[in-house]
Amino acid sequence: MLIALASELAKSFGQEMSCRFGGDEFLAIALDERLDKVQAKSYQILSNLKKQCYHVSIGIKQAKADHLNVSDLLYQADKAMNSTRKPRATAGPGNLLSLLHL
């Protein structure tokens, strides 16, 4: 699962802009991309992983460069991800994907 998720992130956002951020959390940074394009990439990742019977949650947070506070952005992206999560009893197996859009 972790390898499949890492591969999808690298394919969508580039290997230099995606990484494993914790035990089962990942982070991707999209610079100078429109939010709708980042959302489309996120939906494609969800679709590709679902075909492999993996379920993930995604959180997206957007900020302007002059309002960059990395700690706050990570917190907000994590909060957004948690709000999309299904209760564990119905979610099935899977890991989490935190997506940070700058």
Side-chain angles (χ1 to χ4, degrees):
M1 163 60 180
L2 297 176
I3 293 170
L5 182 50
S7 175
E8 288 295 328
L9 272 178
K11 185 169 47 173
S12 295
F13 293 98
Q15 193 167 6
E16 304 81 25
M17 301 304 281
S18 57
C19 66
R20 187 171 175 187
F21 188 64
D24 62 354
E25 293 189 344
F26 289 78
L27 173 70
I29 299 173
L31 299 173
D32 299 323
E33 284 192 51
R34 292 189 342 251
L35 182 58
D36 61 332
K37 187 173 180 182
V38 172
Q39 289 171 327
K41 288 180 180 184
S42 299
Y43 294 136
Q44 186 63 52
I45 289 170
L46 287 173
S47 176
N48 292 346
L49 291 173
K50 188 174 183 179
K51 291 174 188 173
Q52 300 175 58
C53 296
Y54 298 128
H55 304 278
V56 299
S57 298
I58 293 179
I60 299 173
K61 179 61 182 165
Q62 182 178 25
K64 296 185 180 200
D66 58 346
H67 292 97
L68 184 62
N69 178 322
V70 175
S71 295
D72 184 50
L73 289 172
L74 289 172
Y75 173 78
Q76 294 297 327
D78 193 54
K79 190 173 168 183
M81 177 196 58
N82 287 327
S83 72
T84 66
R85 227 191 248 174
K86 295 179 184 176
R88 274 292 183 210
T90 61
N95 294 340
L96 308 175
L97 167 65
S98 291
L99 179 64
L100 176 63
H101 174 229
L102 302 177

